[in-house]
Structure formats: structure tokens, C-alpha cells
């Protein structure tokens, strides 16, 4: 049975949107495993635009949905169109967009809030008991989605893991090549570029995350 997976993108580019390598590796692995994928993104302005050559902020304005379409080759929908009942799982690649556009974690840290449409969709997957995969900085949002006690990883960054704990999460240190699973909540997390020093590093954990998320979708098959 073909599994349908929703992927939330947060723009295009590591410093102000979705991490492109993480997003592409995720989409590639899902396709290799025979999953049917639909990308979504919130139709909102980006927090800001970063020149990825210089690292400097520019005076441009960009839209998260429009920028996400670059990665999805145009095949992306407004997150308001996402219906949890049509999907078996949800995956959110990282990149600063997860902390700047899908939430305000980059600015507010442990006092952050998640963008309302993103939160509503993620909570719907959680409440339906459907597996969710979060990678890189995205697991910083886990406690906001699942509430206190959720188990996740962002690797071993002290500042970020401390913020996760302050929000009520349980942080487990994790190697870039591995995943952490909250079995009760069917949440799978991996550090990806929070630790990766190469695209192969990132891919090893991401592939495991995608594989495990898809395995968990079969737990309900009869």
C-alpha cells in the first residue's frame, strides 16, 4: 500500500528557509521508498532574507510558500489546504526557516510560539497517532507540538538542547548518523546539519529517519 507523506518546507536556503540538502535528501528517500509526497508551506512573508554568499541580511522581502516552490519544483500547496486524514505521516526538514518562519524560536528561544497553521497541522498528526519526523533544528518545536515529556534530539548543541528542556522536552544526545525515537508519540528525530560536516553525514541520519517514519506507518496496517 502506497504511503502518503506530507512534508512542510520553510522557504529555500539554510539561513532563512528550508535547508536545501535536507529537503532534497528527504524527498529523494521518500521517492526511493515508494511513498507519495505532497509538500506544504505557510503562505506568509519570511522573517528576513539572507544573502547566502555573504551571510548578510538584505532589504528584500520574500514569501515562504513561493520560495518553497523552488525546492518542490512548483509542487507545493498552502499549508491551509493540508488535511491530516489524507496522509500517513509528516516530515519537517530543518534549516533556519524552521526557527524563523515556521516558528520564532530563532528570536524567542524557549519562549517561542509555532506559526499557527503549522502548529495546527502538526498537532493533528500527533493527535491522530500518525508518525512525525523532525530533523536538524525542527525538533526544537517538539515540546510545543506534543507537550511536556516528549523525547527528541537536535544532536548535542548545549544552548539549543537547554531550550528544548526548558520548554518541557526530554533531550537525548545523538550522533549525526543516528535517530532518536519517542515510541509513545511516534516521533522520530535526527540531528542532520546540526552536526553534519558533509552531505553524506546528513543523508545517513535522514535516510534512517525517513525509513523509520515509513515503518511506523505500517504499524496500523492489517
Amino acid at each position: 500500500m502506497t504511503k502518503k507523506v506530507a512534508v512542510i518546507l520553510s522557504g529555500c536556503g539554510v539561513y532563512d528557509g528550508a535547508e536545501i540538502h535536507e529537503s532534497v535528501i528527504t524527498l529523494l528517500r521518500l521517492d526511493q521508498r515508494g511513498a507519495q509526497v505532497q509538500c506544504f508551506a505557510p503562505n506568509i512573508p519570511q522573517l528576513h532574507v539572507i544573502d547566502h554568499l555573504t551571510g548578510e541580511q538584505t532589504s528584500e522581502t520574500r514569501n515562504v510558500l513561493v520560495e518553497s516552490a523552488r525546492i518542490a519544483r512548483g509542487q507545493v500547496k498552502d499549508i491551509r489546504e493540508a488535511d491530516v486524514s489524507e496522509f500517513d505521516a509528516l516530515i519537517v526538514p530543518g534549516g533556519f526557516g524552521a526557527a524563523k518562519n515556521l516558528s520564532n524560536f530563532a528570536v524567542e528561544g524557549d519562549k517561542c510560539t509555532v506559526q499557527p497553521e503549522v502548529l495546527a497541522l502538526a498537532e493533528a498528526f500527533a493527535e491522530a497517532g500518525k508518525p512525525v519526523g523532525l530533523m536538524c533544528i525542527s525538533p526544537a518545536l517538539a515540546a510545543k507540538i506534543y507537550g511536556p515529556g516528549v523525547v527528541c534530539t537536535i544532536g548535542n548543541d548545549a544552548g539549543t538542547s537547554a531550550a528544548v528542556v526548558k520548554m518541557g522536552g526530554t533531550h537525548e544526545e545523538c550522533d549525526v548518523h543516528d535517530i532518536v525515537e519517542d515510541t509513545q508519540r511516534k516521533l522520530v528525530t535526527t540531528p542532520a546539519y546540526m552536526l553534519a560536516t558533509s552531505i553524506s553525514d546528513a543523508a545517513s541520519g535522514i535516510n534512517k529517519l525517513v525509513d523509520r517514519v515509513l515503518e511506523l506507518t505500517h504499524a496500523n496496517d492489517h
Side-chain angles (χ1 to χ4, degrees):
M1 205 173 120
T2 304
K3 295 299 180 179
K4 292 185 74 177
V5 181
V7 174
I8 300 179
L9 299 175
S10 57
C12 181
V14 57
Y15 300 125
D16 57 14
E19 214 295 321
I20 296 171
H21 292 177
E22 291 178 2
S23 303
V24 173
I25 293 163
T26 298
L27 296 173
L28 173 61
R29 188 61 167 185
L30 284 166
D31 188 61
Q32 287 173 335
R33 296 298 308 274
Q36 203 178 328
V37 179
Q38 178 61 57
C39 293
F40 294 97
N43 187 4
I44 57 173
Q46 287 185 189
L47 173 67
H48 57 206
V49 178
I50 301 291
D51 179 330
H52 279 58
L53 193 58
T54 64
E56 301 296 316
Q57 189 173 331
T58 75
S59 58
E60 281 182 76
T61 56
R62 297 191 185 188
N63 175 283
V64 176
L65 179 60
V66 172
E67 290 301 296
S68 297
R70 292 175 178 271
I71 293 177
R73 296 173 59 86
Q75 300 301 306
V76 62
K77 293 180 178 179
D78 187 323
I79 197 162
R80 283 176 287 200
E81 294 180 45
D83 180 350
V84 65
S85 69
E86 294 177 4
F87 295 94
D88 299 292
L90 172 69
I91 296 180
V92 187
F96 276 109
K100 292 177 175 180
N101 304 326
L102 302 186
S103 71
N104 57 6
F105 181 77
V107 179
E108 299 291 339
D110 61 88
K111 294 175 181 62
C112 72
T113 55
V114 180
Q115 197 275 340
E117 293 151 4
V118 172
L119 182 62
L121 184 62
E123 284 182 334
F125 274 89
E127 283 161 20
K130 293 182 177 183
V132 174
L134 303 175
M135 66 190 70
C136 190
I137 192 69
S138 297
L141 312 182
K144 298 292 179 181
I145 298 164
Y146 290 92
V150 63
V151 179
C152 62
T153 190
I154 49 84
N156 59 14
D157 181 76
T160 312
S161 57
V164 167
V165 171
K166 255 190 167 172
M167 287 188 277
T170 300
H171 184 265
E172 283 188 14
E173 291 203 359
C174 180
D175 183 77
V176 69
H177 306 289
D178 216 347
I179 56 175
V180 166
E181 183 181 343
D182 184 323
T183 49
Q184 187 188 335
R185 295 169 179 85
K186 291 190 187 168
L187 172 67
V188 186
T189 53
T190 192
Y193 273 107
M194 288 294 285
L195 284 180
T197 55
S198 69
I199 191 168
S200 299
D201 263 359
S204 59
I206 293 169
N207 288 343
K208 276 186 188 172
L209 178 144
V210 170
D211 290 354
R212 184 60 186 146
V213 165
L214 289 174
E215 275 174 20
L216 287 168
T217 67
H218 290 286
N220 299 327
D221 291 354
H222 297 294

